[in-house]
Amino acid sequence: MMLNEPPPDAGEAEMQLFALERSRAQFAWKAGGLDEAGLRRAQPPSTLTLAGLLKHLALVEELYTIDFTGKAPGPPLDAPEAATDLDWVWRSAAGDSAEYLYELWRGAVERSRAAMAEALADGGLDQPAKYRAFDDGRRPNLRRLVMDLHDEYARHVGHADLLREAIDGLVGEDPPLS
């Protein structure tokens, strides 16, 4: 996936979304094209796998979609276990097919992108989240949520980079231009 660079005078929302999309593209490249064995391969002593990262990031995307829309969650967050077992997403990914995990993540990203675009067109980054609130009742604004989602990707792209290199030697910072 080739990303279009934003113009040098791009605004805040455009820059934040570009950074998020770049991190999503890096993650997609590092996690992409593997079979179940590759996705399930851990690097001991860690139990972290690309399968777990795909499902975790699908769940995270869905959490942010709720904050942008206020609507009921979709997969995988709509699974009963997601609400009661914090480790479920990591553990259950080991039994999921590569096709399911890739589609789950792509679907969550598509819903998240659409929710962000709609919310940004209808009030911008300063509006409060429609779901999440801090303990004192204050709601983070959408600016904070976009940054938090980008930070989540930035953290896990590093994990994916190391896991993928160990699986098949794939290295590099950005996906090849296509």
Side-chain angles (χ1 to χ4, degrees), residues 43-168:
Q43 293 301 305
S46 175
T47 60
L48 188 66
T49 65
L50 288 170
L53 284 173
L54 279 163
K55 198 163 191 176
H56 168 72
L57 286 170
L59 185 138
V60 169
E61 290 274 8
E62 198 61 32
L63 282 171
Y64 285 94
T65 297
I66 296 167
D67 277 326
F68 278 92
T69 65
K71 296 177 183 174
L77 199 54
D78 60 352
E81 301 90 339
T84 60
D85 181 356
L86 295 176
D87 291 328
W88 168 79
V89 70
W90 300 101
R91 220 178 26 260
S92 65
D96 294 331
S97 71
E99 181 180 297
Y100 171 78
L101 290 167
Y102 288 130
E103 184 53 39
L104 179 71
W105 179 74
R106 281 191 294 268
V109 169
E110 287 172 17
R111 287 189 299 281
S112 179
R113 279 186 185 126
M116 281 183 202
E118 185 177 325
L120 292 174
D122 189 34
L125 293 171
D126 290 326
Q127 64 185 296
K130 292 182 172 62
Y131 177 75
R132 190 177 322 218
F134 296 115
D135 290 341
D136 63 4
R138 292 178 302 134
R139 295 188 180 280
N141 62 23
L142 299 188
R143 173 180 293 101
R144 166 74 184 261
L145 298 179
V146 172
M147 291 305 296
D148 286 352
L149 182 55
H150 175 261
D151 286 351
E152 186 78 14
Y153 270 96
R155 178 174 178 240
H156 292 313
V157 164
H159 296 129
D161 195 34
L162 292 170
L163 289 167
R164 186 59 185 257
E165 183 176 1
I167 291 166
D168 63 6

Side-chain angles (χ1 to χ4, degrees), residues 164-177:
R164 186 59 185 257
E165 183 176 1
I167 291 166
D168 63 6
L170 180 70
V171 295
E173 185 174 325
D174 288 312
L177 298 177

